[in-house]
């Protein structure tokens, strides 16, 4: 345990942000990592609880109390060893994880949680700087070949785990660069993309092969879905060439809002705006959609909506409004009822702080426009009772809008990919596979496994890493009859 009296002596110290005016000028990260000394003080606040609820609240089950203690004792190299034992990519989660671990921290019951995520961020960034993160190639090769379809966090975690136990792993990605939504969904101001390139180089040194611009299973993606592929590989070819296939293709079909006026110019899915923006920041061509001087309406809350808000403000939008269907949540949760679980409460993201009008319990009824371009929308206020919504008569209103972004989530993966492998789907259209017991992560198709959003539906990076790691263990077990990989 860090310091037995640390939680009484020290306050939570959150990472500082650059001022809004500064960060709006650029697409770079603006969160200032804790100094070694500040991180050690945060580590000292950890009570090393008999039952570490944080460890259970973290989807990859990071061994949080151990690395809190090591940071407090200035044993950073040991801290990254412990952190890497459960998480392949702490530099991703240390930046963009919503930190369910902190909701589960015992200190969160009647005080402020330990700044777990900020310590994770400090450990991994220091480890890279010190040169402690090196390739870990397998001691011996197994001669088994594994194909991973999709290079998001699930595919990358699975590929790294399998390469490290000696399998020949090839990652197929339809887009130009690897990373999935880490690369093309999440903006640079939340996570700079050099972090993915650095991991990719490490994985290549461990023997992972990346084939980008290659679409698997179906030679076309559905409209609205990013596809840079110049090459097509059929499911049969992959099944013939490889001893196992992991589908880690994400959940890419966006939820639409088919109301009158949907076809007007200026009404877009969020990723039609965010993907070209990430490409523009990478120098891969301009974003054809500009929010400069425009009245922007973002429909839907969550991370995707926030990212549209932050990007629009960086473009210099005239105004940004965000609609949410659900009622405004409480400022503070009732911890007696919610702890140690993830509570529903008002969450204000850094993008909201940069300028955004938020309106809750609102349904969009219609878009209207001029010369084929959207100029506004009609909406109505909602009343929520016993989990059911109804429109409030006479509450209709209009809002000016030159650009509208749909950020209402993703419904399912591309059906054609699953069908091409003959993979059975669940009721929501995701790849059907369990996560517990014998044969978990295996789909109905022989030697085909599934992990991440393609299996669980749209989720979080940390869950994708967990599924990638666990799936890799099952694939290793399937190929070798035994495994040393952790769950
Ligand atoms: C805008 C946005 C912001 C987000 N912000 C956060 C956040 O702040 N924190 C957080 O934890 N989560 C966030 N998420 C969610 C998170 O990004 C996803 O849950 C996570 O990336 C899922 O990982 P995955 O590996 O399962 O799939 P993905 O990251 O979706 O990767 C799947 C990959 O498979 C490729 N692919 C699909 N089909 C084929 C095919 N047939 N052939 C070849 N390649 C194929 C795709 O091109 C893609 O690169 C965000 C999501 C979005 C959209
Ligand atoms: S991965 Fe997320 S939940 Fe786990 S320790 Fe890090 S911030 Fe917390």
């Amino acid at each position: 345990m860090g310091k037995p009296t640390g939680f009484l002596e020290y306050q939570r110290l959150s990472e500082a942000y650059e001022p809004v005016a500064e960060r709006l000028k650029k697409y770079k990260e603006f969160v200032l990592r804790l100094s070694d000394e500040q991180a050690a003080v945060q580590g000292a606040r950890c009570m090393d609880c008999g039952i570490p609820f944080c460890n259970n609240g973290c989807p990859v089950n990071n061994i949080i109390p151990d690395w809190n203690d090591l940071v407090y004792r200035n044993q950073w190299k040991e801290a990254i060893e412990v952190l890497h034992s459960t998480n392949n990519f702490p530099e991703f989660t240390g930046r963009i994880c919503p930190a369910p671990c902190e909701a589960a921290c015992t200190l969160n019951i009647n005080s402020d949680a330990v700044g777990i995520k900020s310590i994770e961020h400090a450990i991994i960034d220091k480890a890279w700087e010190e040169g402690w993160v090196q390739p870990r190639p397998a001691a011996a090769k197994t001669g088994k070949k594994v194909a991973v379809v999709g290079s998001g966090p699930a595919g990358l975690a699975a590929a790294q785990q399998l390469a490290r136990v000696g399998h020949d792993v090839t990652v197929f990605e339809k887009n130009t660069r690897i990373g999935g939504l880490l690369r093309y969904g999440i903006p640079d101001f939340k996570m700079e993309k050099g972090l993915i390139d650095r991991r990719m180089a490490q994985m290549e040194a461990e023997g992972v092969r990346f084939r980008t611009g290659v679409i698997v299973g179906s030679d076309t993606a559905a409209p609205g879905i990013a596809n840079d592929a110049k090459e097509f590989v059929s499911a049969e070819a992959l099944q013939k060439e490889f001893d196992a296939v992991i589908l880690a293709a994400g959940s890419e079909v966006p939820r639409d809002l088919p109301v009158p006026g949907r076809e007007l110019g200026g009404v877009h899915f969020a990723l039609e705006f965010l993907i070209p923006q990430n490409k523009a920041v990478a120098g891969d061509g301009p974003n054809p959609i500009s929010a400069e001087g425009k009245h922007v309406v973002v429909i839907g809350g969550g991370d995707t909506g926030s990212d549209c808000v932050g990007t629009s403000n960086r473009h210099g939008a005239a105004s940004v409004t965000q609609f949410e269907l659900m009622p405004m949540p409480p400022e503070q949760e009732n911890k007696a009822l919610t702890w140690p679980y993830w509570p529903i409460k008002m969450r204000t993201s850094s993008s909201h702080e940069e300028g955004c009008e938020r309106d809750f319990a609102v349904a969009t009824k219609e878009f209207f426009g001029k010369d084929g371009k959207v100029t506004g929308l009609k909406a109505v206020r909602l009343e929520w009772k016993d989990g059911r919504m109804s429109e409030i008569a006479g509450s209709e209103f209009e809002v000016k809008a030159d650009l509208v972004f749909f950020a209402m989530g993703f419904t399912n993966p591309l059906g054609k990919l699953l069908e091409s492998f003959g993979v059975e789907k669940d009721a929501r259209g995701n790849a059907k596979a369990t996560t517990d017991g014998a044969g978990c992560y295996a789909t109905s198709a022989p030697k085909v496994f599934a992990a991440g959003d393609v299996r669980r539906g749209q989720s979080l990076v940390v869950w994708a890493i967990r599924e990638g790691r666990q799936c890799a263990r099952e694939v290793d077990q399937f190929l070798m009859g035994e495994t040393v990989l952790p769950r």
Side-chain angles (χ1 to χ4, degrees):
M1 170 176 192
K3 190 175 187 190
T5 52
F7 72 100
L8 295 171
E9 290 172 42
Y10 307 124
Q11 299 297 310
R12 178 185 164 101
L13 178 68
S14 298
E15 291 171 309
Y17 292 175
E18 280 179 32
V20 170
E22 280 309 306
R23 66 198 205 220
L24 280 181
K25 290 182 199 155
K26 55 189 186 187
Y27 291 88
K28 294 235 167 256
E29 287 178 11
F30 54 80
V31 176
L32 307 172
R33 154 186 150 202
L34 298 184
S35 68
D36 290 4
E37 295 71 29
Q38 289 169 329
V41 168
Q42 270 313 287
R45 295 183 69 230
C46 178
M47 301 186 292
D48 195 14
C49 310
I51 297 172
F53 289 92
C54 57
N55 163 262
N56 204 37
C58 168
V60 289
N61 302 119
N62 275 340
I63 311 165
I64 297 161
D66 286 19
W67 41 260
N68 281 341
D69 180 54
L70 289 164
V71 166
Y72 169 65
R73 293 175 198 287
N74 206 21
Q75 293 174 258
W76 291 83
K77 201 166 179 193
E78 289 78 4
I80 187 57
E81 287 297 317
V82 177
L83 180 49
H84 264 152
S85 72
T86 53
N87 187 352
N88 295 63
F89 313 121
E91 65 273 40
F92 306 159
T93 47
R95 284 170 170 77
I96 54 168
C97 184
C101 55
E102 294 185 13
C105 173
T106 308
L107 263 185
N108 185 39
I109 299 174
N110 63 348
S111 177
D112 293 323
V114 173
I116 298 169
K117 181 178 160 185
S118 64
I119 300 176
E120 183 177 23
H121 184 185
I123 295 171
I124 182 62
D125 279 20
K126 186 177 171 74
W128 277 104
E129 281 164 14
E130 297 288 338
W132 296 331
V133 187
Q134 293 295 330
R136 295 184 189 177
K141 287 289 199 181
T142 62
K144 303 282 185 189
K145 293 170 74 179
V146 182
V148 177
V149 182
S151 68
L156 292 181
Q160 185 164 62
Q161 293 293 93
L162 288 166
R164 285 179 172 178
V165 289
H167 304 305
D168 282 326
V169 183
T170 306
V171 177
F172 292 85
E173 170 55 58
K174 65 177 161 56
N175 290 330
T176 314
R177 297 176 190 254
I178 70 135
L181 288 173
L182 286 170
R183 170 79 64 180
Y184 288 125
I186 295 168
D188 279 65
F189 56 81
K190 272 168 52 180
M191 201 194 103
E192 287 174 18
K193 308 309 169 198
L195 301 174
I196 309 171
D197 300 332
R198 196 168 61 177
R199 275 294 174 187
M200 184 178 165
Q202 183 200 33
M203 290 174 65
E204 281 176 326
E206 290 167 350
V208 177
R209 218 174 134 223
F210 291 98
R211 288 190 57 194
T212 55
V214 182
I215 189 163
V216 173
S218 154
D219 57 358
T220 50
I225 293 179
N227 179 18
D228 304 334
K230 294 194 171 53
E231 210 184 313
F232 162 67
V233 175
S234 70
E236 298 75 42
L238 225 60
Q239 274 167 310
K240 205 167 156 207
E241 189 184 339
F242 291 88
D243 299 300
V245 177
I246 297 177
L247 302 181
S251 173
E252 292 194 286
V253 179
R255 185 168 282 111
D256 207 348
L257 185 61
V259 297
R262 166 66 181 94
E263 72 293 346
L264 287 167
V267 180
H268 301 278
F269 290 118
L271 287 183
E272 290 175 334
F273 179 49
L274 296 176
I275 292 175
Q277 185 56 42
N278 280 317
K279 290 187 172 181
V281 174
D284 292 348
N287 188 346
I289 303 173
S290 169
E292 190 179 354
K294 296 198 174 143
H295 296 284
V296 176
V297 177
V298 178
I299 300 180
D303 287 326
T304 307
S306 259
D307 294 345
C308 290
V309 170
T311 305
S312 299
N313 278 324
R314 279 164 181 73
H315 278 214
S319 70
V320 183
T321 307
Q322 188 175 26
F323 287 159
E324 172 60 60
L325 200 66
M326 301 302 289
M328 186 191 281
E331 276 297 331
Q332 268 304 328
E333 72 273 33
N334 181 344
K335 289 184 183 175
L337 290 179
T338 58
W339 184 88
Y341 300 109
W342 183 248
I344 293 177
K345 65 173 184 179
M346 186 69 171
R347 293 179 195 276
T348 302
S349 71
S350 56
S351 291
H352 292 134
E353 285 167 1
E354 291 163 4
C356 174
E357 185 86 20
R358 297 170 79 184
D359 206 344
F360 292 84
V362 169
T364 305
K365 301 291 287 180
E366 179 184 340
F367 301 105
F368 55 86
K370 201 176 163 207
D371 302 331
K373 286 189 181 155
V374 71
T375 55
L377 59 81
K378 291 183 183 170
V380 65
R381 300 209 172 272
L382 302 171
E383 185 176 41
W384 284 88
K385 240 187 204 163
D386 303 327
R388 288 171 171 272
M389 66 174 200
S390 58
E391 294 181 6
I392 302 175
S395 69
E396 294 80 6
F397 63 102
E398 289 186 4
V399 172
K400 209 168 169 179
D402 311 308
L403 265 182
V404 178
F405 297 124
F406 291 170
M408 298 169 293
F410 299 83
T411 52
N412 52 277
L414 278 173
K416 283 193 220 161
L417 172 70
L418 304 185
E419 284 149 24
S420 69
F421 281 93
V423 165
E424 200 183 321
K425 299 178 199 169
D426 68 12
R428 295 184 298 159
N430 299 323
K432 193 171 175 185
T434 60
T435 55
D436 275 318
C440 60
Y441 291 96
T443 70
S444 58
K447 67 182 186 180
V448 179
F449 295 74
D453 283 9
V454 76
R455 194 205 65 77
R456 62 183 292 116
Q458 63 162 30
S459 184
L460 294 171
V461 168
V462 65
W463 278 103
I465 296 173
R466 169 195 169 108
E467 293 216 350
R469 288 173 62 86
Q470 293 191 345
C471 180
R473 185 178 194 277
E474 294 308 314
V475 170
D476 190 34
Q477 173 77 37
F478 165 75
L479 293 173
M480 308 303 291
E482 58 183 12
T483 183
V484 291
L485 286 174
R487 246 186 87 81

